[in-house]
Amino acid sequence: MALHTVEFDIKLNTGTMKIDVPTHTGVVGSSDMEVLMEPKDLEGGVSVRIVTPVTGFDDLWKRVLEKFVSETALSDTRIEINDNNATPAVVLLRLRQAFSQATTD
């Protein structure tokens, strides 16, 4: 099975929340995914790399990630997603879990 890689940068000019520590959430398994987040100086932006077996959904990925970044005001973060057919609801769940872990003392 060939994997598809999607990469993009998000900068909404509203990002004020920075994560403190790298975090890992989820497992690459049937209809699930893992999220890795790490703090990185990106001049207020968020860099995203997604590896998935699914093609044709790049715009949907971008909309879901932009929604997440907007809701959390996330900035200066590198996000890596390893997907195995997760639905958009699972994507948001895993992103929120990773964000919570990275910002909780």
Side-chain angles (χ1 to χ4, degrees):
M1 165 177 47
L3 295 175
H4 176 62
T5 301
V6 181
E7 295 186 75
F8 49 86
D9 297 315
I10 302 170
K11 189 164 184 181
L12 301 177
N13 296 323
T14 58
T16 58
M17 180 59 108
K18 296 181 182 183
I19 64 172
D20 300 320
V21 296
T23 189
H24 172 260
T25 301
V27 176
V28 182
S30 180
S31 298
D32 208 343
M33 59 179 268
E34 70 178 348
V35 175
L36 297 94
M37 286 187 182
E38 66 177 328
K40 188 168 186 175
D41 183 7
L42 298 170
E43 298 179 3
V46 175
S47 174
V48 181
R49 181 175 187 263
I50 304 158
V51 178
T52 178
V54 182
T55 60
F57 290 89
D58 296 10
D59 289 337
L60 180 58
W61 276 110
K62 189 167 186 178
R63 285 194 310 269
V64 169
L65 269 293
E66 285 175 343
K67 174 184 173 73
F68 169 73
V69 170
S70 177
E71 287 177 352
T72 60
L74 187 62
S75 67
D76 291 314
T77 302
R78 172 87 177 139
I79 299 174
E80 299 249 351
I81 296 174
N82 296 308
D83 171 55
N84 192 11
N85 303 308
T87 65
V90 171
V91 172
L92 280 173
L93 171 71
R94 293 286 178 235
L95 286 166
R96 289 174 180 147
Q97 287 174 329
F99 179 75
S100 178
Q101 288 177 1
T103 56
T104 302
D105 294 330

